[in-house]
Every structure is written in C-alpha cells, then in structure tokens.
Amino acid sequence: MRIIENLILALLLALSTTACGGEGQSAPSAAPAEGALEVHYIDVGQADSALILCGGESMLIDGGNVADSSLVVSYLADQGVDSLDYVVCTHAHEDHVGGLSGPLSQYPAEHVLAPVTEYDTKAFQNFLKYTRQQGLEVTSPSPGDTWTVGDASVTVLGPQKAYEDTNNTSIVLRLDYGETSFLFTGDAERDAEADMLEAGAALQADVLKVGHHGSNTSTSYPFLREVAPEYAVISVGEGNDYGHPHEETMSRLRDADVTVYRTDLQGHIVATSDGESISFAVQKNAGVPTNPTQGAQADHYIGNINSKVFHRPDCSGLPAERNQVEFANRTDAVNAGYTPCGRCKP
C-alpha cells in the first residue's frame, strides 16, 4: 500500500506543471526583491495556503487539500524555492494539512510545526510520514514563541488553550516586517478569538488573513476591532457549498472600512512590503468589486419563521404569510438569528 501511495504522489507531482503552470495560472509576481517581504496567498480553492519569502528564507503556512499538493509544489518552484525553513500546519483539517505532503516530499525543511502531533486521518498521517522521512518531528509551538524568516519576525499568538473543536486549535501567527504586520488565523473561531483578546495578545495588524474562509463563526466584531486591519485576504473557493464568505463577515469588514482581496475572484494574491508600506498584486480581475454593498436598505424585512432566513419585501422567495415575521431593520433580523436570503441579498 505504501508503494502505491508513493507512486500516486509521484504521478501528481509530475503533472504539477500542467496543474499550475498553464496560461493564466502563474503567480502575479516573481521572487521578492532584496530588502522586501512577500506574502503569497496561494489560490487553492476552498482551502488555505500561504508562502512567506524574505531575505532568501521561506515559510509555508498550510498546503490546501490533498488534491492541491502538486499545485503548491509547482507554485514553490515558480518562486525559486529550493528549501523551506518553516512548514506550518495551522490545524489538522484536510483543507489545510492535505497539500503539505507534496512540498515535504520535494523540499528539505528545517522546522515543521502543528498544534497536535497525532490526528487520525490519512491526510495528517501522510504529513507525519513525509516529515519523518526528512528525519524531523512535528513540534507544537506555544503562545509567545518567536522565530525569524529573513528579516521578518514571527510570533505565535494562539491557540491560547486546549480546545475540542479542531478549528479553534489553529496556530495563529503574527508576521512583522519593519513597520508592517500580517496576521494568519487558520480557522480559529470566536472562542479562540475571545481567548486571545483576554490574554492581551498583540493582534493589531495591517493585513488579516480572514479566519475560516470568511465564515460567520470567525472575525467577530471585538476581534476585528482589535486587529484593526487596513486589508483583509479571504482564501475561499468559487461557488463553494458553505456559502463562504458569509454576508455577516463581509458586512463587518465593510463596517470597518477594510479593503478585501479574495482568491475566488482574484486567484493568487501577493502582498509586498518594503517595511513601510504594503502593495498588492493579483492574478486576475484586479478591478473586480470584492465586497460590494448590498444596495439601499429596505424599509423593513420579512423573515421566514421556519428557515430563519430574512428577505427584502419584494423578494420572489417570500414565505407564506403564516410563516412570516417582520423586522424593522436588517440589524434586528441578524440579532434575532436570521440569515440573509441568497436571492435578494437583503
């Protein structure tokens, strides 16, 4: 079985040029200039992967799903990566750890980090296998741990405690380069966010990698106020089954006047810092609206008592009158636990 698994992985990696190197699929920029930091948010669909390059050193945070392994390997090759100083699995879910096996099988690594050292899935076991084939062991960092990637410094901010929910075990990292900063949150949800706030973690950052693909379970108002980002990046798959990014999260980002970048709309996204300012380059659709307002507010909204969805009063999907409840404004509907209709987008 192990021989078969290795042959399958080798075949996937051999096809990586086709998977990621075709027309329109290249990264929006090449390796960083001397004296610069680059953060690459790799488009791995409904998953997460980011590559940090600075001063000839590199850190890979997550690798997408198992099926993204060859894409990530090809992306690293396009950036001239020949080794990985740090490989970070933020948490053990397949859409974060699955694609790390390819890079670990192709590139020598110095340090491999994850919040746990055992997890009973094939994706995580393969992650462990390729780590150990390099003579390394997975280590679990603690809040306050620091290291450097070139001239950039990395600080662990979470998880602050043990959690049953795997999302909340996500390693949360703050990356500082000169006067600029980036925050990587994995899939950390509100409980983990609240614990970081209570611990007084240094959360303020210029760029926020939005938690859990823009789910409404993350990026709470208190957390967003503390981070106070100028920019946000959402790693999310086009037309995904989860409805990510959720409108509640996008509304909070609009309220905070945050400029949003999205992999589902813009492909690979690269943020470049010179230590004083940050610029962005995207693979496609540079001018696409990434967080448009939902139009003028209606004078009232109609909720469906059964589905807990609320609508504009002119929506074609209104429920039968006996199942309707009226809200004076959008805020009242959201506070009552209702979610916006995907058709009329109230």
Side-chain angles (χ1 to χ4, degrees):
M1 182 62 71
R2 180 172 295 178
I3 293 174
I4 294 174
E5 289 178 0
N6 289 339
L7 287 172
I8 292 172
L9 180 61
L11 178 59
L12 287 171
L13 296 176
L15 295 172
S16 63
T17 301
T18 302
C20 187
E23 183 177 356
Q25 294 299 313
S26 60
S29 64
E34 185 177 352
L37 163 77
E38 280 196 1
V39 180
H40 295 242
Y41 301 89
I42 304 172
D43 179 14
V44 285
Q46 186 62 23
D48 254 307
S49 186
L51 173 67
I52 287 86
L53 300 173
C54 186
E57 297 184 351
S58 60
M59 177 169 66
L60 180 63
I61 304 175
D62 292 330
N65 286 292
V66 171
D68 300 312
S69 188
S70 59
L71 184 153
V72 175
V73 168
S74 180
Y75 193 98
L76 298 181
D78 287 345
Q79 299 306 311
V81 172
D82 54 19
S83 65
L84 292 165
D85 296 278
Y86 290 88
V87 175
V88 180
C89 162
T90 61
H91 64 294
H93 282 159
E94 196 248 341
D95 60 322
H96 293 253
V97 70
L100 289 177
S101 293
L104 284 169
S105 72
Q106 295 294 302
Y107 295 101
E110 290 291 327
H111 306 277
V112 180
L113 309 174
V116 295
T117 56
E118 291 294 338
Y119 195 78
D120 190 20
T121 63
K122 184 176 180 182
F124 195 83
Q125 293 303 313
N126 281 337
F127 165 67
L128 292 178
K129 177 177 74 173
Y130 288 107
T131 297
R132 290 167 178 165
Q133 282 186 2
Q134 294 208 34
L136 302 172
E137 290 293 333
V138 173
T139 58
S140 299
S142 301
D145 288 353
T146 63
W147 61 85
T148 58
V149 178
D151 292 326
S153 63
V154 182
T155 305
V156 179
L157 303 183
Q160 287 287 329
K161 58 177 70 171
Y163 300 96
E164 290 187 8
D165 186 329
T166 299
N167 285 335
N168 282 329
T169 69
S170 293
I171 295 174
V172 177
L173 300 176
R174 175 190 172 93
L175 176 70
D176 287 279
Y177 183 69
E179 311 238 340
T180 62
S181 51
F182 299 74
L183 192 65
F184 300 87
T185 58
D187 280 356
E189 298 186 350
R190 294 185 182 200
D191 287 346
E193 291 177 353
D195 289 332
M196 285 185 283
L197 289 169
E198 184 177 355
L203 293 167
Q204 192 284 320
D206 298 304
V207 183
L208 169 67
K209 198 291 296 181
V210 173
H212 202 182
H213 319 289
S215 168
N216 59 12
T217 61
S218 305
T219 321
S220 62
Y221 269 123
F223 185 77
L224 185 58
R225 281 195 298 268
E226 187 66 24
V227 179
E230 183 176 356
Y231 307 99
V233 178
I234 304 177
S235 185
V236 63
E238 183 177 2
N240 66 85
D241 294 335
Y242 305 97
H244 294 160
H246 287 153
E247 172 55 27
E248 297 92 329
T249 302
M250 303 306 285
S251 177
R252 291 194 286 269
L253 291 168
R254 283 196 298 271
D255 290 346
D257 198 26
V258 179
T259 299
V260 175
Y261 292 88
R262 295 170 47 167
T263 59
D264 62 332
L265 299 176
Q266 298 169 303
H268 307 308
I269 298 162
V270 179
T272 303
S273 169
D274 61 5
E276 296 181 356
S277 62
I278 301 169
S279 60
F280 281 82
V282 297
Q283 180 185 7
K284 59 185 180 181
N285 299 330
V288 69
T290 57
N291 192 9
T293 59
Q294 297 301 314
Q297 294 292 307
D299 58 0
H300 70 285
Y301 296 89
I302 304 297
N304 185 325
I305 295 172
N306 295 324
S307 67
K308 299 294 185 183
V309 170
F310 70 95
H311 310 257
R312 290 179 174 273
D314 58 352
C315 180
S316 61
L318 288 179
E321 189 171 347
R322 65 180 178 275
N323 295 325
Q324 292 183 7
V325 59
E326 184 171 318
F327 297 102
N329 53 61
R330 191 179 190 281
T331 300
D332 286 351
V334 172
N335 289 341
Y338 283 67
T339 57
C341 169
R343 182 181 302 175
C344 67
K345 302 185 186 303

